[in-house]
Amino acid sequence: MLTVDFSRFPLAPGDRVLDLGCGAGRHAFECYRRGAQVVALDRNAEEIREVAKWFAAMKEAGEAPEGATATAMEGDALRLPFPDESFDVVIISEVMEHIPDDKGVLAEMVRVLRPGGRIAVTVPRYGPEKVCWSLSDAYHEVEGGHIRIYKADELLGKIREAGLRPYGTHHAHALHSPYWWLKCAFGVDNDKALPVRAYHKLLVWDIMKKPLATRVAEQALNPLIGKSFVAYATKPHLPAAALGGTARTQTDAS
């Protein structure tokens, strides 16, 4: 289940991609399949071990094209272990709402992104997330849980302040909002409640089968109750004056 829409966020074979806070690796796996040189980074050592196993299995099964590479590593989003301008693409999906210093994370992403590179940021959408917070304290008052709810303008403002240029937004996963509302209403850790179990089966069926009816329904509902807000931006090239007078020009590849 991808939150980033790669038709709006083009990825070329050979692109150097950082999936920051990769979690279980869903976006990293898709980038690997598309021929990228992927680094999946997360602070959770157990998840990183699992992602590394899946990368190895994908390579063995021939799921990645020639030239694609994939590395899974443990690391800190506020102190990325990479030189400046190391990546063509950075993805950070459902991570920033967990981190107190979100501006620091954005600064690190901008540092490691090359000029002309692209970034995708996804966070829980304000409306559906506000419902979850209203229904359940346990949903967000946990160690490592959500510490803020972004409004779209607020997130885009922080992206611009970091020196990036947003070029597109959308919402995703409308069918997942009611599931989380049910979870919050019946108890976040209560998977036995009949409405929760029934809706979970629906979501699994939808993810596995991708039937036309639910695809159309989700597309129609995304602008209204999409669970995630997704923003895309580019890192502009520095004007010549900002380069200290150096006679250096670049072509914008964004």
Side-chain angles (χ1 to χ4, degrees):
M1 184 186 74
L2 299 174
T3 307
V4 172
D5 180 351
F6 286 95
S7 68
R8 310 182 196 214
F9 189 67
L11 194 68
D15 275 352
R16 299 162 296 168
V17 178
L18 172 63
D19 185 1
L20 182 55
C22 64
R26 57 199 172 105
H27 289 106
F29 300 150
E30 180 65 19
C31 294
Y32 189 32
R33 290 188 188 99
R34 290 171 178 261
Q37 298 174 8
V38 184
V39 175
L41 183 143
D42 200 282
R43 64 182 299 177
N44 187 312
E46 184 176 341
E47 287 196 309
I48 283 299
R49 284 193 292 270
E50 286 300 310
V51 170
K53 289 177 185 177
W54 278 105
F55 278 151
M58 290 172 68
K59 182 177 181 179
E60 174 133 3
E63 289 189 40
E66 188 78 26
T69 62
T71 303
M73 61 184 298
E74 190 176 353
D76 184 347
L78 289 165
R79 289 183 289 275
L80 295 175
F82 310 112
D84 295 355
E85 302 179 10
S86 299
F87 295 96
D88 303 298
V89 172
V90 177
I91 296 171
I92 185 166
S93 183
E94 311 300 303
V95 173
M96 287 181 57
E97 67 276 9
H98 296 270
I99 300 176
D101 186 8
D102 57 349
K103 289 185 178 181
V105 173
L106 277 168
E108 272 293 87
M109 289 190 288
V110 171
R111 181 183 68 78
V112 302
L113 185 66
R114 70 163 176 83
R118 303 172 304 285
I119 187 169
V121 181
T122 92
V123 297
R125 184 182 185 177
Y126 183 85
E129 184 76 349
K130 193 73 173 176
V131 173
C132 289
W133 282 46
S134 299
L135 289 171
S136 171
D137 290 337
Y139 171 78
H140 64 97
E141 291 181 356
V142 295
E143 185 178 354
H146 298 183
I147 62 171
R148 70 174 65 84
I149 308 176
Y150 288 101
K151 290 186 176 180
D153 288 346
E154 176 193 1
L155 180 62
L156 291 172
K158 289 186 176 184
I159 289 172
R160 291 187 182 98
E161 286 173 15
L164 298 165
R165 290 178 182 165
Y167 69 84
T169 65
H170 64 90
H171 301 99
H173 309 317
L175 294 182
H176 288 251
S177 290
Y179 172 71
W180 282 104
W181 297 339
L182 288 170
K183 288 270 287 179
C184 290
F186 285 94
V188 174
D189 297 320
N190 180 13
D191 294 325
K192 295 182 179 179
L194 180 59
V196 175
R197 286 192 289 116
Y199 204 98
H200 184 263
K201 286 183 179 178
L202 170 67
L203 291 179
V204 171
W205 173 74
D206 174 56
I207 291 169
M208 299 301 293
K209 301 296 185 181
K210 297 181 175 62
L212 178 61
T214 55
R215 295 300 87 220
V216 170
E218 182 157 80
Q219 209 166 30
L221 289 170
N222 273 336
L224 302 173
I225 60 168
K227 183 75 170 67
S228 294
F229 174 71
V230 188
Y232 306 109
T234 59
K235 179 178 176 178
H237 293 287
L238 293 174
L243 297 174
T246 304
R248 180 158 64 97
T249 60
Q250 295 171 301
T251 301
D252 193 336
S254 62

